[in-house]
Amino acid sequence: MFLSYATMPMFAFTILLSFFFLNSPIKSMEFGTLFEKCPDCLADSCHKDKHRPCMTMSTGWFLCYTCEIDLGDDQYYTFEECKTGCTNTNRTCACDGMCVVCVRKSVLENGGYLEPCNLPTTPEITCK
């Protein structure tokens, strides 16, 4: 008897999850690591090998993040970098989280949506 009461809400929940997943084809892939101490951030491969800055967060911790290629969409750190690298006329630059994505225009026109823009405008880089 209990199983029959749980079946309908679970079915509805599954349908909603499928709708949200299928309706959001754009997802930036920023990978970040938080460090408690500046030297730890500077020693990490994010900063050492990929030359990303160690940004001081409001919590006093340090963040180093990278924008990786996701689903074939190139990602950049600024709109200027994206405009230089995103030259295909069927694509446009769009902010998605902490990265700028070179995405197909048709995806945006057909209801795809992006995460709220959270580009670090003036990162406080006191960790050097």
Side-chain angles (χ1 to χ4, degrees):
M1 183 106 180
F2 175 74
L3 183 61
S4 63
Y5 289 120
T7 303
M8 285 306 289
M10 200 60 181
F11 177 73
F13 180 71
T14 304
I15 296 297
L16 282 174
L17 277 181
S18 297
F19 171 75
F20 287 126
F21 179 74
L22 293 174
N23 198 30
S24 60
I26 307 163
K27 175 83 170 121
S28 69
M29 291 293 290
E30 67 262 1
F31 292 102
T33 307
L34 284 173
F35 300 92
E36 189 174 1
K37 298 177 182 170
C38 176
D40 295 339
C41 184
L42 295 175
D44 190 71
S45 65
C46 176
H47 177 75
K48 231 168 50 175
D49 301 333
K50 297 179 181 175
H51 309 291
R52 298 300 303 148
C54 291
M55 298 184 292
T56 307
M57 306 301 292
S58 60
T59 59
W61 287 52
F62 302 93
L63 170 70
C64 186
Y65 78 96
T66 61
C67 295
E68 306 292 337
I69 293 176
D70 179 38
L71 302 174
D73 295 329
D74 291 335
Q75 298 192 96
Y76 304 90
Y77 300 101
T78 65
F79 275 102
E80 290 76 26
E81 288 178 3
C82 185
K83 288 176 186 172
T84 302
C86 186
T87 57
N88 187 329
T89 57
N90 295 327
R91 294 180 166 267
T92 187
C93 295
C95 180
D96 187 32
M98 294 176 75
C99 301
V100 180
V101 183
C102 178
V103 65
R104 292 184 323 271
K105 292 178 182 178
S106 62
V107 171
L108 296 177
E109 293 165 356
N110 292 327
Y113 63 92
L114 304 167
E115 291 181 4
C117 190
N118 192 20
L119 289 177
T121 51
T122 54
E124 187 178 333
I125 304 170
T126 57
C127 177
K128 297 181 182 180

